[in-house]
Amino acid sequence: MKNNKAKLSRSHQAIILMQQAKQLFESNNYNEAIQYYTRVIDLGTTLNNLAYTLYMRGCTYEAVGNIEEACIDWNEAQKLNIVHSLGVDFVEEALSKYQVN
């Protein structure tokens, strides 16, 4: 007899983890949010979700004062060349705060 519990797809798991990470971020639970964003990255997800997750983990690193890790994540997100549906380049905006001229 087949198991009636359907295993969640990786994509669905990633979305759930991203939602939990967002809630943690909004509650200022930054260290825990970083762990959840990292789980999404480790799980593997769509390019759009990966870009968003890297961007948000970067924002979370920024919130705890770890600018080096934030910039690493933002640079990785930027390499994915995902265009935001509103045409706003949030990654570029985030990176521009810390670029040295």
Side-chain angles (χ1 to χ4, degrees), residues 30-53:
Y30 300 122
N31 290 323
E32 197 171 350
I34 289 169
Q35 293 174 10
Y36 275 75
Y37 286 125
T38 301
R39 287 174 59 192
V40 173
I41 293 166
D42 292 344
L43 181 63
T45 186
T46 65
L47 286 180
N48 283 335
N49 285 346
L50 179 58
Y52 171 78
T53 302

Side-chain angles (χ1 to χ4, degrees), residues 19-84:
Q19 290 170 342
Q20 292 169 327
K22 182 181 179 210
Q23 290 172 345
L24 290 164
F25 178 85
E26 291 172 349
S27 300
N28 300 328
N29 293 322
Y30 300 122
N31 290 323
E32 197 171 350
I34 289 169
Q35 293 174 10
Y36 275 75
Y37 286 125
T38 301
R39 287 174 59 192
V40 173
I41 293 166
D42 292 344
L43 181 63
T45 186
T46 65
L47 286 180
N48 283 335
N49 285 346
L50 179 58
Y52 171 78
T53 302
L54 286 165
Y55 169 74
M56 285 305 301
R57 190 174 72 172
C59 292
T60 310
Y61 277 127
E62 179 185 37
V64 297
N66 191 339
I67 305 309
E68 183 177 349
E69 288 296 325
C71 289
I72 288 170
D73 278 352
W74 292 331
N75 278 311
E76 288 299 313
Q78 191 173 50
K79 288 178 189 176
L80 296 174
N81 291 319
I82 301 297
V83 177
H84 190 277

